[in-house]
Amino acid sequence: MTDVASPGPDARSAIYVRGTFVPPSPPPGSTVGPFGWAHKNLFSSPFNIAATILTALFLAWVVPPLLDWLIFDAVWTGENREACLPVDGREVGACWAWVQAKFGQILYGRYPLDQRWRVDLTALLFVAGLVPLAIPKVPYKRENTILMLTAFPVAAFILLYGGFGLPVVETALWGGLLVTLVVAVTGIVASLPLGILLALGRRSKLPIVKTVSVIFIEFWRGVPLITVLFMASVMLPLFLPSGVNFDKLLRALIGVALFSAAYMAETVRGGLQAIPKGQYEAAAAMGLGYWQSMRLVILPQALKIVIPGIVNSFISLFKDTSLVLIIGLFDVLGIIQLNFSDANWSAPTVPATGFVFAAIVFWIFCFGMSRYSQYMERRLETGHRR
Amino acid sequence: MTNIAAEDLSADRSKMTVGSQVAVEMIGVNKWYGEFHVLRDINLTVRKGERIVICGPSGSGKSTMIRCINRLEEHQKGQIIVDGTELTNDLKKIDEVRREVGMVFQHFNLFPHLTILENCTLAPIWVRKMPKRQAEEAAMEYLAKVRIPEQAHKYPGQLSGGQQQRVAIARSLCMNPKIMLFDEPTSALDPEMVKEVLDVMISLAESGMTMLCVTHEMGFARQVANRVIFMDQGQIVEQNDPEAFFTNPQHERTRLFLSQILH
């Protein structure tokens, strides 16, 4: 059987020589366009059709009441609990008026009202430093990084805590998003370099460095964060000489940083192990020393591989900041819960509103980190995994 | 075995001159992996400008031997002197030797996160402390020599195997080495790409480079090598000039090996 269109004999016969090469042609119409997409992704098989219909039904069942609660039946303005009370049988959804009333506390905790500009200024400096770092096209990355790691922490400390003419605001008064961000950012910034050093240490050929790293990592990974915070807050003062006391927030910061460094170390070690031996050898053969080859060849590749794991750690660290509640510090969630007991605002939907709002705040930050990490992954892809 | 025939490679032996100075000296070198005696009593002297091809069955220690020359592998007994510097545990001496010895690997080992140009300038900038612009100019020159200057701003993953290996050679040359080591440079390449790499290696030999090359490309050995070394069981079994080595092998083990790879 010979196709008229194809010149030469058929390949199914024993001897075959191709006459002409087949030119490329566009794909058949049914696989492209919106209908093609829907057919392929939503209605390709009986199972897929059933899944599509069930999902649509589920959404129809869940979404309208959710929108009613969040938006249409929600109370947007009000001075006190009266606004959010379900009087005369009216449906009351989320009590956003309460969030509005407590917004200052959710952001700053009990930070003195007339000093809150200091927090705002710190936040402004932070954003002004971070945004140009996060956008790849902006120049002066190195200078900016150095500023953010040296000048900014000092400025932030003076602004937030006090000194140089600014009245001191004890950390016991800090709260809300301020505490969440201080703990999370410090933990994130400290844990990455510390984790990298620990990961390198664990793979070191020097027995002492290796043993110290292993003991450190396994100790901190073996205890729960709550225990760490509790120890830092309750036990540590017992071991310190009387009169010596350092700040509760500072102790929490150190505990969180060391704790997440141990996790970070194992994440980074995973990346280091994924780099082929040939990369180490090529770097060594060119005369690069240990630190040079780590910094220029191994770590850029290893860290890129483990971006998802690193950001995973960041996200879980961000959410774990809520645990500082047990040592008497009030983060976003803590301050929201604290405000449930305000008799002026006692209404049935207030707690639910508070938790939903806290969830939204956490979600925005975590989702932001997640998206940015995916963007970085795509950007750093150099096509060597084809 | 797909070998490029000697007739397909054109090399000008008159340009390859051997000097009197010693480039590499191995005296009574022994090495063990645990209990396994991988290198046994290796004695080898390589003069400046020599092109030495090392062949042998897998596991014969040929790769290990040349990897000892830039201390990617440590020897336990004997002396290795490279360009006048003896390799010991002294890290400074090791770095000194590595600066002068280039190496090309079977699997290229280019740095995938850097562009071709950055691959070539990394070591000159950080090890030789060369200004960036000067390093880039030198790198472009070498990339032109291996005939891929137009790929300078691509990443290794976007290049074919043969192109990657030519970049790897250029990357080594950017350090201006006195000695080049090749560890099966064409073994991981598709047959169509072997010749482009061998051609680059030939022109390198014609420029007077001292080369030690582990390869099974016997056509290359005939055209370029001034000495062929056959290794088995961690020792040098036979060593001769290529003509005599191929036409009149002395040792029975060599004859067996050659009968299997030549046809």
Side-chain angles (χ1 to χ4, degrees), chain A residues 125-150 152 189 372 375-376 379:
Chain A
L125 287 176
F126 181 64
V127 172
L130 193 65
V131 168
L133 268 186
I135 300 171
K137 274 192 198 132
V138 180
Y140 304 116
K141 284 277 181 292
R142 178 192 295 256
E143 291 80 359
N144 196 346
T145 310
I146 293 172
L147 272 182
M148 283 302 278
L149 291 177
T150 55
F152 175 75
V189 172
Y372 186 70
Y375 162 74
M376 277 320 274
R379 206 185 107 71

Side-chain angles (χ1 to χ4, degrees), chain A residues 277-299:
Chain A
K277 208 170 147 229
Q279 294 286 309
Y280 292 87
E281 288 180 349
M286 291 162 75
L288 292 172
Y290 175 80
W291 290 107
Q292 281 180 333
S293 55
M294 287 301 146
R295 190 162 59 87
L296 301 168
V297 176
I298 306 300
L299 282 173

Side-chain angles (χ1 to χ4, degrees), chain B residues 23 25 69 80-88 90 92-94 96-97 100:
Chain B
E25 175 108 75
I69 295 173
I80 302 178
I81 300 154
V82 183
D83 194 38
T85 309
E86 181 173 359
L87 282 168
T88 57
D90 188 346
K92 261 194 189 151
K93 293 274 171 66
I94 295 174
E96 228 170 83
V97 165
E100 306 306 330

Side-chain angles (χ1 to χ4, degrees), chain A residues 279 281 284 295-296 382 386, chain B residues 67 98 110 112-113 126 157:
Chain A
Q279 294 286 309
E281 288 180 349
R295 190 162 59 87
L296 301 168
T382 54
R386 34 166 219 176
Chain B
R67 287 159 61 91
R98 283 176 177 169
L110 294 179
H113 63 300
W126 291 95

